[in-house]
Amino acid sequence: MPSARQGYNKYQLSTLTGIDHQKMREKMSSFPLQRCCSLLVVLMVAVLFFSWNGFVKFQMSPQPYPSIARSQKQSHVMETQIVPESYVLSDAEIDDVNSHASSTTSKMSIINPKFVYKLNGTIRVKIELFDHKNRTKTRGGDMLIVWMRDKSKGAASAGTVIDHDNGTYTGVLRILWTGKAVIRAAMLAPREKMAFVNREFRHGYGGKILICLFNTPGLTETSSGHMESKFVNKIDVCNLTDKHYGVPLYCDKPKKKGVQCSHWTGVNSLGYLAVSARPNSKWYLSSAGPAVLPDIVTVKIPTVQNTTLPATVPCSRSSVRNSWVSKPVGFFYNSTWRPLLCFNDVTVEDYDLCLANRTLRMFGDSTVRQWFSFFYKHLNLTWRVGPWQITKNLQPTGNWYSYSEAYKKDFNYTIFWAPHGLPMTFNNANRTALRPSFVHLDEIPSGSRDIVLIHLYAHFLFYPVHMFRSQIQRIRPAVQRLLERAPDIKIAIKGPHYFVLNSIIYTFGRMWGPVYDKIIREEFVGLYDRVIYLDFWEMLLSVESPDVHPGEKLINTMIRTLFGYVCKK
């Protein structure tokens, strides 16, 4: 993608070229025809030569919105570099299953160690990757993460990783507190693992069993469903995309006489498909766990007057653009999350007044359903609609994937959660229950002052990355339409979060989190000043949160982050 500077240079060049054309036209009458033609050819070659580099980059860019990331091989100041899908798609199947990078043989060491480190300084560590036979890796593309903690002070933060394309990486961490910092690094995914998953997707793997339901008076039938047309028999298939709000959906045609495609009523998507256990996939199926490198780097930061970096502006008065561009996003100190560019003075006791005479509309998966359970538990709400599932740690159980709603009469507010639509888990869901998030957004009335939360993540991990991007591309214009008709509404996008898998059966895994984060940031360029981005990756990574469903303390911290932006004290 051409940078802003490159775009300016090309504009400047074309302007100068226009001036040259004008001068040439004034003098052309005195030049012989052959000389004029020669000058024109030279001029055209020069223009093509200087603009070719930008043209090539433009042609190669698949994104409809410009990326805010720089052209260097470092992500937008994030704790892991992003490997584009095209970067790994061409990787061939590995013959040597020991050739992918190993966390146990790889090494980390500090770069240019200092005797004294200062608050707000940086620490750099070198990471060298080796494969399972202790052979040096000589190319990049692996996903790595770095973080540091001082458990005695309840302090933790995440850093960034730079890929040098030769098997070595540099981890960069900002010093945000004084005392001690223990630095660790881990492998989110080796390059070969991402390539393996992409090949599975290209060969038709879909991680969920999708069953289409057909009903007509006296007759019912089920058939196999698909969300990509290239893997279905187009002759014997019902194209239900129009009935599915424009999101691709294909079902095998019913075989019973009298049951037609028009009798489609819903889906069932409870089952999962494991990755085939072939000889060349055993290494992938055994690649679970946190994959933490064994080396530990410990540094000491002398105590000064300020033991941490203080923020001076409350988040409610801070530009929401900061939620997109701040890196690090924040850090833990005294076990309390502190945003880096603002301070959060909102507590649970403030939620009632903040929500008064409004509706909190939440669209997402089971991790957002946990938020709904938290509100019900801590705000003394009255249950109105939906299944009654609340466990000790707020994890959904039973038929949790049904629309749920609760309210508080004294303050006249409502909170509801709705599933984000396929490819989520559903049990005999009707077409209304399958409504995607962007459909819900278009139903919010003009002039609304409500609060909206949108989250897509875990259920997309069973499908190719382009399906996630497509859904974000549908949500983005719906958000823009909503902001135009309801300027006072508050909209937040909840990004992906870090977690650990102790076993691998499917393509479900944390490695796509940073890729999804990049997609969201690219697609929402132009709305950074209007939409809040809840980047929780660093938060959960820094404390090594293992579960895809975070614990209640972290849920409280995440909710408080949202309310810090939308509630004014």
Side-chain angles (χ1 to χ4, degrees):
M1 180 70 67
S3 67
R5 182 66 183 169
Q6 288 171 318
Y8 169 77
N9 288 340
K10 286 195 289 183
Y11 172 79
Q12 189 180 49
L13 177 63
S14 64
T15 304
L16 292 173
T17 304
I19 293 174
D20 290 343
H21 272 296
Q22 185 176 355
K23 290 180 179 179
M24 287 175 63
R25 283 195 296 269
E26 292 173 355
K27 298 180 180 181
M28 263 184 129
S29 59
S30 62
F31 285 178
L33 180 61
Q34 184 176 0
R35 197 169 187 181
C36 290
C37 292
S38 299
L39 285 172
L40 283 173
V41 169
V42 170
L43 183 61
M44 291 173 64
V45 170
V47 172
L48 287 172
F49 176 80
F50 285 111
S51 61
W52 178 255
N53 184 49
F55 174 76
V56 170
K57 290 182 180 178
F58 175 78
Q59 290 290 88
M60 291 176 64
S61 173
Q63 314 304 346
Y65 296 95
S67 170
I68 63 170
R70 298 181 185 273
S71 60
Q72 61 183 357
K73 272 231 165 195
Q74 180 185 6
S75 67
H76 38 274
V77 201
M78 141 164 223
E79 46 281 303
T80 180
Q81 67 287 348
I82 303 300
V83 184
E85 192 175 4
S86 59
Y87 190 56
V88 295
L89 282 181
S90 60
D91 283 5
E93 189 85 44
I94 56 176
D95 297 323
D96 181 359
V97 295
N98 294 306
S99 64
H100 60 285
S102 165
S103 60
T104 57
T105 60
S106 298
K107 303 182 184 302
M108 177 182 67
S109 59
I110 195 163
I111 299 174
N112 298 326
K114 298 178 182 179
F115 183 73
V116 177
Y117 289 91
K118 296 181 179 179
L119 191 66
N120 203 29
T122 57
I123 302 170
R124 292 177 177 267
V125 294
K126 180 180 181 180
I127 302 170
E128 300 174 271
L129 295 189
F130 296 84
D131 68 13
H132 285 257
K133 288 189 175 181
N134 208 28
R135 296 170 297 197
T136 303
K137 296 291 290 183
T138 58
R139 67 175 183 177
D142 305 272
M143 275 191 160
L144 304 176
I145 48 179
V146 292
W147 68 99
M148 64 184 188
R149 298 183 71 175
D150 183 350
K151 292 185 179 181
S152 67
K153 293 188 175 182
S157 67
T160 69
V161 176
I162 302 171
D163 184 355
H164 299 297
D165 254 348
N166 59 4
T168 67
Y169 301 76
T170 298
V172 183
L173 302 108
R174 189 171 171 185
I175 300 172
L176 301 171
W177 65 84
T178 60
K180 185 175 70 172
V182 178
I183 300 171
R184 303 301 305 267
M187 188 178 305
L188 203 61
R191 172 187 177 130
E192 292 82 359
K193 186 174 181 177
M194 299 184 71
F196 174 87
V197 173
N198 273 314
R199 280 194 300 273
E200 291 293 303
F201 287 144
R202 289 205 316 275
H203 296 155
Y205 171 82
K208 286 196 172 185
I209 301 173
L210 187 61
I211 303 299
C212 300
L213 311 177
F214 297 87
N215 286 278
T216 188
L219 292 171
T220 62
E221 189 171 345
T222 63
S223 71
S224 297
H226 316 271
M227 297 193 71
E228 286 202 276
S229 62
K230 62 182 178 180
F231 299 119
V232 300
N233 184 339
K234 293 180 175 59
I235 298 176
D236 298 319
V237 71
C238 300
N239 185 351
L240 302 173
T241 300
D242 288 344
K243 297 179 183 295
H244 189 229
Y245 311 97
V247 179
L249 179 63
Y250 306 89
C251 300
D252 293 348
K253 282 186 178 179
K255 300 189 184 315
K256 290 183 180 178
K257 187 176 180 179
V259 183
Q260 301 175 1
C261 293
S262 59
H263 296 142
W264 173 67
T265 58
V267 302
N268 187 324
S269 56
L270 289 174
Y272 297 88
L273 283 172
V275 173
S276 300
R278 305 182 304 273
N280 61 353
S281 67
K282 289 182 179 179
W283 69 272
Y284 168 79
L285 297 172
S286 64
S287 61
V292 179
L293 274 63
D295 293 323
I296 299 174
V297 171
T298 302
V299 298
K300 292 183 179 180
I301 305 100
T303 302
V304 292
Q305 185 175 1
N306 293 323
T307 57
T308 63
L309 288 175
T312 58
V313 179
C315 295
S316 60
R317 298 179 185 176
S318 172
S319 169
V320 298
R321 171 174 284 272
N322 291 338
S323 67
W324 294 91
V325 302
S326 173
K327 286 292 182 177
V329 175
F331 63 103
F332 279 101
Y333 193 78
N334 289 332
S335 301
T336 301
W337 180 253
R338 301 188 179 193
L340 204 61
L341 297 183
C342 61
F343 68 85
N344 191 348
D345 56 355
V346 175
T347 65
V348 175
E349 288 72 27
D350 300 311
Y351 292 178
D352 282 339
L353 284 175
C354 179
L355 291 168
N357 303 311
R358 304 167 95 172
T359 296
L360 172 56
R361 305 165 182 264
M362 300 187 294
F363 310 104
D365 57 21
S366 57
T367 62
V368 179
R369 181 60 164 69
Q370 286 183 283
W371 287 34
F372 178 83
S373 299
F374 179 93
F375 289 125
Y376 177 78
K377 177 180 177 180
H378 292 279
L379 299 184
N380 193 27
L381 303 182
T382 301
W383 204 285
R384 179 181 283 153
V385 178
W388 188 288
Q389 274 91 26
I390 289 187
T391 60
K392 185 177 180 180
N393 63 352
L394 305 182
Q395 286 194 28
T397 60
N399 295 324
W400 62 269
Y401 29 78
S402 299
Y403 174 91
S404 300
E405 182 179 306
Y407 68 96
K408 194 163 191 175
K409 185 176 180 181
D410 294 345
F411 289 87
N412 188 35
Y413 69 77
T414 297
I415 297 176
F416 74 71
W417 171 86
H420 60 54
L422 288 175
M424 252 193 68
T425 295
F426 289 104
N427 183 20
N428 298 328
N430 60 33
R431 286 158 57 176
T432 301
L434 299 177
R435 285 185 300 171
S437 302
F438 64 88
V439 175
H440 288 283
L441 295 177
D442 283 334
E443 294 171 349
I444 299 175
S446 300
S448 173
R449 294 181 54 257
D450 292 345
I451 302 169
V452 177
L453 176 70
I454 306 164
H455 176 63
L456 279 65
Y457 182 28
H459 293 268
F460 284 85
L461 298 171
F462 298 96
Y463 293 92
V465 174
H466 72 81
M467 287 182 59
F468 179 85
R469 184 184 289 277
S470 295
Q471 201 68 343
I472 294 296
Q473 287 176 335
R474 295 181 181 97
I475 290 172
R476 202 262 190 196
V479 167
Q480 189 158 2
R481 290 191 295 269
L482 177 54
L483 288 169
E484 289 171 357
R485 69 178 182 274
D488 294 328
I489 201 164
K490 302 294 184 182
I491 303 175
I493 307 294
K494 177 177 176 283
H497 60 273
Y498 172 85
F499 64 92
V500 176
L501 284 179
N502 292 318
S503 65
I504 290 183
I505 303 174
Y506 320 106
T507 56
F508 182 76
R510 57 190 176 163
M511 63 182 172
W512 297 119
V515 177
Y516 289 179
D517 172 270
K518 179 175 182 285
I519 289 171
I520 294 170
R521 292 175 187 274
E522 289 175 347
E523 298 301 334
F524 273 84
V525 165
L527 292 179
Y528 286 7
D529 293 316
R530 304 291 307 279
V531 176
I532 301 162
Y533 187 50
L534 300 175
D535 181 355
F536 293 137
W537 183 269
E538 289 183 6
M539 180 189 291
L540 273 65
L541 165 61
S542 65
V543 293
E544 303 169 56
S545 175
D547 200 332
V548 67
H549 294 102
E552 187 168 346
K553 287 185 178 180
L554 283 172
I555 292 172
N556 179 29
T557 300
M558 290 189 281
I559 291 174
R560 185 169 171 265
T561 301
L562 168 63
F563 276 72
Y565 280 107
V566 301
C567 303
K568 293 184 179 181
K569 297 188 69 172

